[in-house]
Amino acid sequence: MDLGISGKTALVCASSKGLGRGCAEALAEAGVNLVMNARGAEALEATAAEIREAHGVTVTTVAADIVSEEGRAKVLAAAGDVDILVTNAGGPPPGLWSDWEREDFLKALDANMLTPIALMTAVIPGMIDRGWGRVVNITSQSVKAPIPALGLSNAARTGLTGYVAGTARQVAPDGVVVNNLLPGIHATDRAESLDGGVSKAQGISIEAARANRQATIPARRYGTRQEFGQTCAFLCSQHAGFIVGQNILIDGGATNATI
């Protein structure tokens, strides 16, 4: 399917690996030029080189911490006019409700709520002026069904979801479409970290921890960055203009909900 976005420019955050990389790869396959951001310059440059070679699009890299004001300013200055924004940031650590102090919540809110909002605030006015834009926020299945050990993530990402619910409907008349993608467990470093934590806590191998988690997923496997990225690319396409303010689960059926 021709997504109708060849020649557009996308800013994809945290895109050197994992789900962000999957989104960058799928957009590049559709002919979209990229501005890729991550904190680690070496991994970022390696991924960018692979995407340039595979798809022949222009790829600009900006190694910076997108959560910091300085990092955002650096990325946005390099990006220029952004047609597509994909926000993404690693989740805060798991734990118990009794583990977290005010500072822990502020860090989670800064990374997983306030940073995406700041990026949207920066790029949506230009999208409105041009009469077209797409925003996809990578959040979590936890905004549909909270995960007990991920209270910091539950709180911050649900806050972003509420913000998007109103904002998406305000900017839709101007051709700007904003949606959220809610991943379940995918084969990424995040899954490795979570499985490692379970392995340590339960005294089992990481392979056993992974097998136990996969058994709770109806698809009986973890998702891949490639299939996640293709879903993101479709939401950024010309065909998705009537999908507004939605929270789309991509979790192999793990969230047990009717709606």
Side-chain angles (χ1 to χ4, degrees), residues 109 112-113 117 143 153-164:
L109 289 168
N112 299 126
M113 176 182 169
I117 290 173
V143 304
S153 179
N154 296 341
R157 297 189 195 277
T158 303
L160 175 62
T161 304
Y163 173 84
V164 167

Side-chain angles (χ1 to χ4, degrees), residues 102-200:
R102 173 181 170 83
E103 191 62 31
D104 297 310
F105 282 99
L106 292 177
K107 287 179 181 178
L109 289 168
D110 206 18
N112 299 126
M113 176 182 169
L114 298 178
T115 291
I117 290 173
L119 289 167
M120 284 186 275
T121 301
V123 304
I124 284 177
M127 294 177 177
I128 290 173
D129 289 343
R130 294 185 296 275
W132 194 95
R134 298 288 187 267
V135 178
V136 174
N137 299 292
I138 300 176
T139 64
S140 169
Q141 69 183 107
S142 68
V143 304
K144 287 274 191 180
I147 299 169
L150 299 182
L152 295 174
S153 179
N154 296 341
R157 297 189 195 277
T158 303
L160 175 62
T161 304
Y163 173 84
V164 167
T167 300
R169 288 159 175 86
Q170 291 177 323
V171 302
D174 299 297
V176 180
V177 174
V178 186
N179 290 291
N180 302 319
L181 261 182
L182 284 53
I185 295 294
H186 285 67
T188 65
D189 288 350
R190 174 71 164 170
E192 194 77 13
S193 174
L194 292 173
D195 288 341
V198 171
S199 170
K200 184 178 180 180

Side-chain angles (χ1 to χ4, degrees), residues 207-224:
E207 292 78 14
R210 185 179 302 115
N212 290 343
R213 191 188 299 272
Q214 287 174 333
T216 69
I217 303 170
R220 295 295 189 267
R221 64 177 178 86
Y222 288 175
T224 69

